[in-house]
Amino acid sequence: MKETMSPSSYELILKNISRFIDLNLEEQNLYVSLLKQRIIRKKDFLLKPGEVIKNEYFIVKGCLKVYRIDDKGTERISMFAIKDWWTGDMASFITQQPSNYFIQALEESEVLQISRENYELLFKKIPKFERFYRILYQKSLANYIRRSDQNISLSAEDRYYNFVQKYPSLVHRVSQKDIASYIGVTPEFLSLLRKRISSS
């Protein structure tokens, strides 16, 4: 499959970045030159456990899931990555140590990726990007802590409501099995939960 994207792909990522830092036209062009466009077919992987992640990814279109397999062989989804979101394994990317996670496309997806080499070059050429990535990582860490707390303190029903609020576009796009994995219940329990909610 030929990997082509429209200029709007770059407009989307530049708009995402502009929420935190301002770039002039020269800086925008340099940044775009450091990105690589990629199309991931449904069910293909960007990352598997034991691999060192080589890129940070910005989602232009589609949906991916980030998950790991626990010691009982159960899939645990930590996040879904959708349009205008970033994904990857921050710890593996920064330390260049093997990851514990899978990143898999649930739909044919389009991403823009920046390699570790270009990431370091970016900081040298445009130092203000250090602020952008610091904010990005801080938000990622805050979301991880919040989600961990919710998994401990909230009921399954509240965790489902949080999923619907966070990912309203995914309620009918991803499988019940994946939603159940994300909120930490069985698909059968989720089915009963949905029926109870719809009848209340």
Side-chain angles (χ1 to χ4, degrees):
M1 180 183 296
K2 188 177 180 181
E3 298 189 359
T4 59
M5 296 187 200
S6 69
S8 62
S9 304
Y10 297 116
E11 292 171 7
L12 185 64
I13 196 171
L14 290 172
K15 184 177 179 181
N16 181 281
I17 289 166
S18 71
R19 296 170 193 163
F20 307 113
I21 59 174
D22 294 320
L23 300 176
N24 61 38
L25 184 58
E26 182 181 359
E27 291 169 334
Q28 291 179 17
N29 289 333
L30 174 59
Y31 178 63
V32 165
S33 74
L34 298 177
L35 302 174
K36 180 181 178 182
Q37 300 174 327
R38 184 171 174 185
I39 294 176
I40 306 103
R41 293 181 177 87
K42 183 178 180 179
K43 296 187 179 181
D44 281 358
F45 290 87
L46 285 179
L47 180 69
K48 292 181 179 179
E51 298 175 348
V52 174
I53 197 165
K54 301 184 185 303
N55 303 283
E56 286 277 7
Y57 301 97
F58 177 79
I59 315 303
V60 175
K61 178 183 176 183
C63 176
L64 300 96
K65 63 179 178 179
V66 181
Y67 67 97
R68 62 189 303 174
I69 305 296
D70 67 17
D71 54 7
K72 296 181 180 178
T74 302
E75 181 178 301
R76 302 292 184 185
I77 296 177
S78 57
M79 72 172 288
F80 296 99
I82 55 178
K83 181 180 179 179
D84 201 28
W85 285 39
W86 294 82
T87 194
D89 181 340
M90 179 175 62
S92 178
F93 187 73
I94 292 173
T95 65
Q96 290 297 280
Q97 296 298 311
S99 175
N100 294 317
Y101 290 92
F102 295 88
I103 303 178
Q104 185 182 27
L106 294 175
E107 304 168 347
E108 180 170 286
S109 301
E110 301 176 4
V111 302
L112 293 170
Q113 63 187 44
I114 185 166
S115 67
R116 174 73 187 194
E117 181 181 8
N118 283 346
Y119 171 87
E120 295 294 345
L121 179 61
L122 182 63
F123 291 166
K124 293 179 182 178
K125 297 289 187 179
I126 314 176
K128 69 181 77 173
F129 264 98
E130 292 191 2
R131 168 178 165 78
F132 171 74
Y133 280 101
R134 174 175 56 80
I135 294 172
L136 190 68
Y137 293 156
Q138 285 174 341
K139 286 181 171 291
S140 176
L141 179 58
N143 286 334
Y144 174 81
I145 293 171
R146 186 181 304 114
R147 177 155 157 72
S148 296
D149 288 344
Q150 290 173 349
N151 285 343
I152 295 170
S153 61
L154 297 183
S155 67
E157 184 170 343
D158 285 337
R159 295 199 300 274
Y160 177 72
Y161 281 128
N162 280 350
F163 164 81
V164 173
Q165 183 176 26
K166 186 173 184 178
Y167 300 107
S169 68
L170 294 187
V171 174
H172 302 295
R173 281 171 59 189
V174 302
S175 70
Q176 184 161 289
K177 176 177 177 291
D178 282 334
I179 296 174
S181 172
Y182 178 82
I183 67 173
V185 299
T186 65
E188 294 77 16
F189 183 88
L190 177 59
S191 179
L192 293 172
L193 178 61
R194 281 175 149 177
K195 287 178 182 176
R196 188 171 76 240
I197 291 171
S198 64
S199 63
S200 61

